[in-house]
């Protein structure tokens, strides 16, 4: 199991545990984390799972890849260097304790 914390702008935190191998978006949706909709089902085609990777975790998650993820982030609001689509972050034991922050417009 991989623990992930989704943090709202207000500081409210939703700590979830999920099986390794699923995406951070799937973990959020399965645990009813508000602000993560995953309308496209994880195909990187909607940006409704936009998150900010906590800087301490960015080296492990990597930045948004060229192509679909980066293109979809163009449709999200307040995109930053640490912006990612949660559907493109696969959970692994290396990401146990991951912290993802939710954009203000998504809560």
């Amino acid at each position: 199991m991989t623990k992930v914390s989704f943090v709202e702008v207000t500081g409210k935190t939703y700590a979830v545990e999920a099986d390794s191998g699923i995406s951070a978006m799937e973990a959020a949706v399965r645990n009813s984390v508000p602000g993560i909709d995953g309308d496209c089902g994880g195909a990187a085609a909607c940006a409704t799972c936009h998150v900010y990777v906590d800087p301490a975790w960015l080296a492990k998650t990597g930045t948004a890849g060229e192509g679909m993820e980066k293109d979809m982030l163009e449709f999200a609001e307040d995109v930053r260097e640490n912006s990612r689509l949660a559907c493109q972050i696969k959970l692994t034991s290396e990401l146990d304790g991951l912290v993802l922050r939710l954009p203000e417009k998504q809560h």
Side-chain angles (χ1 to χ4, degrees):
M1 296 295 273
T2 303
K3 294 178 186 173
V4 182
S5 294
F6 295 89
V7 183
E8 289 184 339
V9 172
T10 62
K12 184 172 182 174
T13 301
Y14 301 87
V16 304
E17 287 192 26
D19 294 325
S20 292
I22 70 168
S23 70
M25 179 275 296
E26 290 173 288
V29 169
R30 290 179 186 177
N31 288 278
S32 302
V33 174
I36 302 291
D37 295 330
D39 289 344
C40 72
C46 71
T48 61
C49 65
H50 176 212
V51 294
Y52 303 121
V53 176
D54 188 89
W57 289 94
L58 201 52
K60 289 187 180 184
T61 63
T63 57
E66 292 296 326
M68 289 186 69
E69 182 177 11
K70 205 163 206 167
D71 291 346
M72 275 298 109
L73 283 169
E74 290 181 18
F75 295 103
E77 291 190 41
D78 196 19
V79 174
R80 303 175 186 171
E81 286 188 29
N82 60 334
S83 287
R84 291 292 308 271
L85 296 180
C87 67
Q88 299 303 297
I89 301 172
K90 295 295 178 202
L91 300 180
T92 65
S93 59
E94 290 180 356
L95 295 180
D96 189 39
L98 177 63
V99 177
L100 300 173
R101 301 187 184 282
L102 302 173
E104 184 173 5
K105 299 287 184 184
Q106 282 179 214
H107 65 97

